[in-house]
Amino acid sequence: MRVEDHLKTIAIDRHGAFYGMRAVIPGMAKAGGGSIVNISSVAGLVHQIDVPNPAYTAANFAVRRLTKAAAVQFGSQRVRVNSVHPGGVLTPMLRDTVPAAALKTLNADVPLRRMADPREVSQLVAFLASDDSSYITGAEYIIDGGRTAD
């Protein structure tokens, strides 16, 4: 792996979450609170053998810890911070670029035997952003069809 690739991955995945929170927390605190939902990956929980870049795993693990630290630090200001960790998501780009046979193989490793629809992930994010989750902070939500359950 090239150093440039490693640094780029860390800069986008880890630092992106930090910069996003840094931009919104002061306004949320001033307004009386709010909800931040950081998007990570199941690779932040367990290394995925099919992910060739270890920086991706490291960066997503860092997003997990950053989320928890921010939840503790800013909870008194009524700013909630949670993370979502999707497994495979069948996006249009994936559907258009990965051969059907390869998708079938990937699905075989998932107890529900399919990837998530993007809408399923967005519904979880919408719940965490809403007042319906007003007592949830510092939590990590895995949405991977059971792939990391064992």
Side-chain angles (χ1 to χ4, degrees), residues 107-126:
N107 288 338
D109 289 339
V110 179
L112 292 181
R113 299 295 186 255
R114 66 178 181 84
M115 291 185 187
D117 182 274
R119 183 169 171 79
E120 292 169 310
V121 178
S122 66
Q123 288 171 330
L124 174 57
V125 171

Side-chain angles (χ1 to χ4, degrees), residues 57-135:
T57 298
N60 281 284
F61 183 81
V63 170
R64 284 178 68 196
R65 298 310 307 162
L66 179 64
T67 296
K68 290 179 178 294
V72 171
Q73 184 172 355
F74 299 105
S76 64
Q77 297 172 56
R78 300 180 39 107
V79 175
R80 298 181 297 108
V81 189
N82 294 290
S83 59
V84 171
H85 303 266
V89 179
L90 192 55
T91 63
M93 182 180 77
L94 191 65
R95 191 179 298 113
D96 293 344
T97 60
V98 176
L103 290 175
K104 186 176 180 179
T105 300
L106 290 171
N107 288 338
D109 289 339
V110 179
L112 292 181
R113 299 295 186 255
R114 66 178 181 84
M115 291 185 187
D117 182 274
R119 183 169 171 79
E120 292 169 310
V121 178
S122 66
Q123 288 171 330
L124 174 57
V125 171
F127 165 72
L128 291 171
S130 77
D131 289 339
D132 289 338
S133 64
S134 62
Y135 199 64

